[in-house]
Amino acid sequence: MLQSPITDLYWHTKGIIYGSMSGKIKLISTQSNRILSLIFNNSMVTALKVCEEQLVAGFLNGAIFWTLIDSNESNGHQIITTTSPPFALGISHLGYICICSSDGRITFVQIGSTNPITLINKQIIEINSDLSCVSFSPSSNVSIVASLD
């Protein structure tokens, strides 16, 4: 039984990944029938995106976390804090993350593959629109952002 309402879900080859109002992101393993903790933040999960073995999550307090699903670490890496809650996230297999916040800002972040994760580049675009979703092309060269307008 879950102790907090679920805010986002993703079906991965390793199981069901979910984010909760209590700020926890967990994996329910379909192979072992165990629940594994991936990320914890004391703020509600507002967005969750998975690309291959990478997971990126946004929280109501603006924190953006990244982790590998197979990682032995239990809390991931906080890579950035946005000025308002992110409601749409995109992640590419090349390490690019697109964060769409409720204040109409799109933040593009590039992370390195070293451990600990390093922030290589950051760019913010302000469009002053209510952003709803984002997706990367299979090549990761293009991202599409949609708004409610």
Side-chain angles (χ1 to χ4, degrees):
M1 182 163 178
L2 302 175
Q3 297 175 354
S4 179
I6 292 176
T7 58
D8 210 340
L9 277 174
Y10 185 84
W11 195 310
H12 190 267
T13 56
K14 300 202 181 336
I16 308 294
I17 298 170
Y18 71 90
S20 69
M21 287 186 74
S22 64
K24 296 176 183 175
I25 297 177
K26 296 192 175 195
L27 167 68
I28 303 171
S29 173
T30 52
Q31 290 126 0
S32 67
N33 220 16
R34 293 179 39 219
I35 298 178
L36 308 168
S37 293
L38 299 176
I39 297 173
F40 176 71
N41 185 324
N42 284 323
S43 184
M44 181 179 86
V45 176
T46 57
L48 180 69
K49 193 63 125 188
V50 175
C51 178
E52 298 169 354
E53 297 303 310
Q54 299 180 90
L55 179 140
V56 65
F59 295 85
L60 192 60
N61 64 2
I64 307 295
F65 278 74
W66 176 94
T67 193
L68 289 173
I69 294 170
D70 281 339
S71 176
N72 291 331
E73 298 178 28
S74 62
N75 206 28
H77 302 276
Q78 184 172 351
I79 54 173
I80 192 173
T81 300
T82 58
T83 56
S84 68
F87 286 108
L89 292 171
I91 185 169
S92 77
H93 65 278
L94 298 176
Y96 294 98
I97 298 171
C98 181
I99 306 157
C100 297
S101 300
S102 60
D103 62 358
R105 290 182 179 174
I106 303 170
T107 304
F108 289 96
V109 174
Q110 182 182 11
I111 57 173
S113 59
T114 59
N115 193 5
I117 292 301
T118 55
L119 180 65
I120 295 175
N121 195 1
K122 178 177 105 172
Q123 179 181 5
I124 298 173
I125 301 169
E126 293 191 36
I127 63 167
N128 297 321
S129 182
D130 201 4
L131 305 168
S132 58
C133 57
V134 61
S135 184
F136 277 98
S137 67
S139 67
S140 297
N141 294 332
V142 178
S143 65
I144 299 172
V145 176
S147 76
L148 298 176
D149 299 334

